[in-house]
Amino acid sequence: MHTHEILNQVPDLRDYNLYRSDAALVEAVQREGAHWHDCTLASQGEALGSGEMIQLAELANRHTPVLQTHDRTGHRIDVVEFHPAWHTLLDQLRRAGLHALPWMQPGDGAHAARAAGYFLHAQIEAGSLCPTTMTFAAIPVLQQEPALFEQLRTRLFSREHDARDLPITHKRSILIGMGMTEKQGGSDVRSNTAIAMPADPLNDGRGAAYLLSGHKWFFSAPMCDAHLMLARTENGLSCFFVPRWLPDGTRNPILIQRLKDKLGNRSNSSSEVEFEEAMGIMVGAEGRGITTIIEMANHTRLDCVIGSAALMRQALVQAIHHTRHRSAFGRLLAEQPLMRNVLSDLALESEAATMLMLRLAHAFDAPDDPLQRAWKRIVTPAAKFWICKRALEFSGECMEVWGGNGYVETGPMARLYREAPVNSIWEGSGNVMCLDVLRAIGRETQGFQLLLQELEDAARGHAGLAQRVDALKQMLMAPEEEREACARRLVQQLVLALQGMLMLRHAPSSSSDVFLASRGEGDGGRVYGTLAGHSIVAQQAILQRAWPG
């Protein structure tokens, strides 16, 4: 018996171009020197917005990785099995060059081009980005050991995904993971207890083989072909390249104890491992492991910023799409004044995050320039703190726009919401980032002065931005202990000033005026939807720019 007709339900958002529909992203790509990549990004945006790709992302997250520690005869194999959708997603990433683009094609705009592509993929599926990010960030570290890097170059730069579990010499391409943290330390890697002894007492130091014993509490993507790890020698913490297979074709004794049962990022496997005399090659100077991997941390933190900005963009698009198809109390949700206020506020937050992450990526193309170095070393941890934090509240607000339909796993909002917290935690939590900003300001004194000058120049003629810059300078003059205690407030002030500057320079006045007026002192942590004194026309312009329709 037919009981009722289904009405007022929102169709799935699919078969759209993620790139061409994002005016702020397209403009930033042109502005930050990546215009040469425009057509490729458009093709990538179309492919990722297809119903087929969206379904693959759903499958990879529904059918999560499974650990097989032994084969049927009792031999230790330590294999993590994935749904075929996972490998299709990795193949998409590989073909787009997101694992190595700036290293393969160095030049103006290379990092911005790669960041834009990463931003697009992160809107559809985030878990597959983990091994991609780690491989990308490992390349400049491995380049410090020319002999080792030459053995790996072709396989690192390959645009073909090779899912086979084989020794590196038998593979067409490889992925690199990370194993830094231990049970007792977390972010405090200086407390690591894993030890490394020379495999040959007559041959030690960088480039030599060592035998590593210990554990890792978070061993990311254990099916990667090799991992960069920290272990302690007689001369302190050192960095090691540890392959999954030994040169003789046997497995390196890295024993996967269990997979982490994570809140989000569920398509990707994270694990706990024990190892007893696993072979690794020292990378960088002995006892300088943290210094060796600091460049890696800069790149992985940038990807956290890009990934969180992408989650915000996708959540926003889903929210606007929903309100343009869902009616309540006699009219579409998108036509109702308070909902329009909420969506406009969210759209401004998303655009400011997109602008900041592309400007930040651009700085990685010119590491020798003092101002760009300041952006890279100071703004990267600042942006990671702020944008990753905002993504949590942002995704929750967008889920609320969907109502009860947003709180079920059959729709997209639940996965976006569960995905949001990881970037705030991975590669250093909020406090670690804010303290790193203070340290970087102390070290990059010339660059930071140039950064402040850039802000002051932009603030001329705009009282609101000038007031924020003045407040930032006052906070920097506080005694050291007070400055550390207020580090989160200082970093928030810095990021909002930079976002205000970028919006003022590059966004339409209908967007920049509202953004700057609504992000005043004391407003940075407010709920969304509290825009005041702005016309309906201005809000409609903001939403039309965010998602044409």
Side-chain angles (χ1 to χ4, degrees), residues 150-327:
E150 283 306 312
Q151 297 174 30
L152 305 173
R153 177 197 292 269
T154 301
R155 296 173 180 88
L156 284 170
F157 286 176
S158 172
R159 287 186 182 246
E160 176 186 4
H161 172 58
D162 188 345
R164 297 175 300 164
D165 184 23
L166 295 172
I168 288 174
T169 53
H170 294 128
K171 296 197 65 174
R172 295 184 293 272
S173 67
I174 58 173
L175 291 168
I176 310 296
M178 290 170 61
M180 305 298 176
T181 61
E182 299 181 3
K183 295 182 180 73
Q184 69 282 354
S187 297
D188 183 12
V189 295
R190 287 177 174 83
S191 66
N192 280 11
T193 60
I195 60 171
M197 301 294 292
D200 178 357
L202 301 178
N203 181 22
D204 60 3
R206 64 188 308 163
Y210 280 72
L211 300 178
L212 283 64
S213 297
H215 77 279
K216 296 299 172 185
W217 186 233
F218 275 93
F219 192 75
S220 296
M223 286 306 292
C224 285
D225 299 282
H227 287 74
L228 289 178
M229 294 192 207
L230 289 177
R232 192 173 297 279
T233 67
E234 291 182 354
N235 296 309
L237 278 176
S238 301
C239 181
F240 296 90
F241 174 84
V242 184
R244 179 166 164 77
W245 291 80
L246 295 170
D248 64 4
T250 60
R251 295 179 189 274
N252 212 359
I254 304 166
L255 310 181
I256 305 174
Q257 305 296 35
R258 61 174 174 173
L259 300 185
K260 298 287 190 181
D261 187 8
K262 296 175 293 184
L263 168 67
N265 208 245
R266 297 186 66 83
S267 67
N268 174 50
S269 61
S270 300
S271 63
E272 300 167 22
V273 299
E274 302 279 345
F275 43 95
E276 185 172 348
E277 297 193 341
M279 190 276 289
I281 305 297
M282 184 180 288
V283 177
E286 185 175 3
R288 302 286 290 170
I290 294 176
T291 301
T292 300
I293 65 168
I294 194 67
E295 183 70 11
M296 190 174 188
N298 281 332
H299 289 294
T300 53
R301 289 171 179 178
L302 173 62
D303 278 5
C304 288
V305 175
I306 303 168
S308 288
L311 288 173
M312 293 164 73
R313 170 64 186 175
Q314 180 62 199
L316 170 69
V317 167
Q318 292 286 353
I320 296 176
H321 173 78
H322 182 86
T323 61
R324 288 178 179 169
H325 290 83
R326 179 81 167 176
S327 297

Side-chain angles (χ1 to χ4, degrees), residues 23-100:
L25 178 64
V26 171
E27 292 169 9
V29 164
Q30 301 295 317
R31 186 169 61 246
E32 306 301 351
H35 51 86
W36 50 270
H37 207 51
D38 181 84
C39 291
T40 300
L41 290 169
S43 297
Q44 186 183 349
E46 183 176 3
L48 287 166
S50 69
E52 178 186 4
M53 195 62 66
I54 292 168
Q55 183 180 29
L56 287 170
E58 294 169 354
L59 288 170
N61 281 272
R62 190 180 313 134
H63 302 281
T64 55
V66 176
L67 171 63
Q68 300 289 347
T69 57
H70 297 77
D71 66 13
R72 69 174 186 84
T73 61
H75 293 96
R76 187 94 196 197
I77 55 173
D78 296 286
V79 168
V80 181
E81 297 174 348
F82 294 86
H83 189 274
W86 166 262
H87 294 295
T88 304
L89 290 165
L90 284 179
D91 185 63
Q92 171 77 14
L93 284 160
R94 199 89 192 193
R95 284 188 285 111
L98 300 185
H99 66 294

Side-chain angles (χ1 to χ4, degrees), residues 5 56 84 106 191 342 362 431 482:
E5 184 179 357
L56 287 170
S191 66
V342 171
H362 175 77
N431 284 358
E482 180 182 337

